[in-house]
Amino acid sequence: MPRPLWAGAISFGLVTIPVKILSATEDRDTDMGRVRTRKVCELDDQVVSPDEIGKGYEIAKDETVPVTDEELEQMPLPTAKAIEIAAFVDADTIDPVRISDSYYLAADGQVAAKPYTLLRKALERSSKVAVAKFAWHGRERLGLLRIRDGAIVLHSMKWPDEVRNPDELAPREVEVGEEEIEQALQLAEQMTIEDLSGFRDEYREALEDIIAAKAEGKSLPAPAEDGTQEKGEVVDLMAALNASVKAAEESRGEDGEDATVHEMRPSKKTARKAPSKKTATSNPAVAKKTTGRSSSASKKTAGKKAASKRRSAS
């Protein structure tokens, strides 16, 4: 596990639980190289040290109110070293768009073992999540506490006024038929899975293949075919749904009669095999046309043989 990022305590009524915060995720897209930031003054283009930089709040153009570090430290912030539980709510009442970074909370010392276990069992039995306040990087933040594999997880959350209103993004009202909705539900049923562990970062794997090929002096892998629809192309929605359901059934090896199977694990092999099956059966007209040519050629040959026999007889 990584090094603790913060040490403090969970405040649960009059119960105090010493904990350490550890990052619950890791970014696999970085090389962990240190990136240094230099702050340069716009007036003389000189690098400025942290001691020469002050804080302030701009209340009007060219008018800034300075704020010192001492004034910030003396602010009444009760959550400076505590994760203060303020309420318990049902998990399904939390809008996922408000959830941000995730952290594990580890019990800090043997004295924290019993109250940590107490809070964990209380959350498990109530099927609720705890809403808390905590200080992070000089700001008070809203957090969410829940249980994952026996550990307490802290999710930082956005304040209500930090979430933008999506009303303007909704499309105009359109008519959607019941048959289309039923097909969409059938497609969703076909695509339902219970385990997400089979998903992989294919872009990262492709990048690793390119790096390996270049390091060994080999030719780069061929680019994958782009099966995306061109922008502006008109598609029959019902036909697209029917084709999607059929493709989902074929990927599971079904005959289309039973569309209630829940087990489907996404993998690179399945994704590559599905198009080949569809290509082999999706255009019967081509097969018929080829068969027609072969039949015509056979008749023509038979005609030549009959004409040759007649000349011999004469």
Side-chain angles (χ1 to χ4, degrees), residues 47-54:
V47 177
V48 181
S49 65
D51 296 337
E52 299 176 282
I53 301 174

Side-chain angles (χ1 to χ4, degrees), residues 68-75:
T68 65
D69 292 335
E70 290 75 14
E71 291 170 338
L72 293 176
E73 291 174 358
Q74 294 174 4
M75 286 179 59

